[in-house]
Amino acid sequence: MPFSHDMVYSLATVVELINTGADERDGLAGVEDLEAFVRQRQVSGVGRVTDHDLAEVRALRRDFHEVFTAPDSRAAIALLNTLLGRTRITPSLTEHDGFPVHVHYFAPGASVAEHLAADCGVALAHVIVEDEWERLRTCAAPDCSHVFVDESRNRSRVYCDSRTCGNRMHVAAYRARRRPAS
């Protein structure tokens, strides 16, 4: 995909955010989980995280999931415009934490949810503008609801992770083929 490092990083962040809600155990069960997410994804400019922040980020997670699972690009555009319309987007060039110069889209003093909505929302907007909406996918494994961005050259990726879901599904298909006919 022809996206810069910061766009790819923001897309990975939105995927990881959505997937915190895809398993039995909510990956954002408490403030500590949100703090760990912020640290792990190196979300800059975030101060103290509160229960209110946690509730906002969980709601944002649902909104982003709706964008990924929209039936078509028009629906994704409408959802994304609504989401972006709720943020105070203030583009600024920045250089920090060893990253090259890149653009932050969140306003100074923004909450963690608004920060994620702006940066990740703009990254998703670029995917749509580049006519790459179909790269936003849900895992094809029947027991998995993780999302991912298909970065393969030929847009053929169907599993969130080839080492887990992909391997499991390929082994199941192989075993089914090897079973004697009854």
Side-chain angles (χ1 to χ4, degrees):
M1 286 190 323
F3 298 119
S4 64
H5 171 268
D6 52 313
M7 284 294 139
V8 171
Y9 195 83
S10 292
L11 290 171
T13 299
V14 72
V15 164
E16 191 169 323
L17 175 62
I18 294 168
N19 288 339
T20 62
D23 296 323
E24 276 187 38
R25 183 198 177 277
D26 187 343
L28 294 177
V31 172
E32 322 72 50
D33 296 322
L34 181 55
E35 288 170 341
F37 178 84
V38 166
R39 260 191 323 277
Q40 180 186 4
R41 293 307 306 165
Q42 297 178 320
V43 180
S44 62
V46 174
R48 191 172 149 265
V49 178
T50 66
D51 286 326
H52 179 72
D53 292 318
L54 179 62
E56 284 185 334
V57 171
R58 283 182 179 154
L60 178 64
R61 176 177 68 185
R62 283 189 302 275
D63 293 342
F64 278 138
H65 188 265
E66 287 180 12
V67 172
F68 267 74
T69 58
D72 54 44
S73 63
R74 288 206 181 280
I77 289 168
L79 291 164
L80 198 51
N81 277 338
T82 299
L83 187 149
L84 289 171
R86 294 190 311 248
T87 65
R88 298 171 293 147
I89 294 180
T90 308
S92 64
L93 293 171
T94 185
E95 186 176 24
H96 61 86
D97 299 325
F99 292 112
V101 175
H102 58 281
V103 181
H104 278 184
Y105 294 96
F106 60 93
S111 70
V112 65
E114 190 173 20
H115 177 132
L116 291 169
D119 275 350
C120 296
V122 167
L124 289 172
H126 281 283
V127 170
I128 292 170
V129 165
E130 294 295 327
D131 199 26
E132 300 285 357
W133 174 78
E134 285 129 0
R135 290 185 182 271
L136 306 180
R137 305 251 174 101
T138 302
C139 185
D143 59 342
C144 182
S145 58
H146 284 198
V147 299
F148 64 95
V149 177
D150 179 3
E151 295 181 56
S152 67
R153 181 174 289 173
N154 62 356
R155 296 177 176 92
S156 62
R157 186 172 157 200
V158 294
Y159 301 113
C160 64
D161 185 355
S162 60
R163 291 178 309 274
T164 55
C165 290
N167 189 45
R168 190 168 31 85
M169 296 308 295
H170 289 111
V171 167
Y174 172 79
R175 287 181 179 158
R177 286 190 306 271
R178 301 285 296 174
R179 247 184 242 126
S182 32

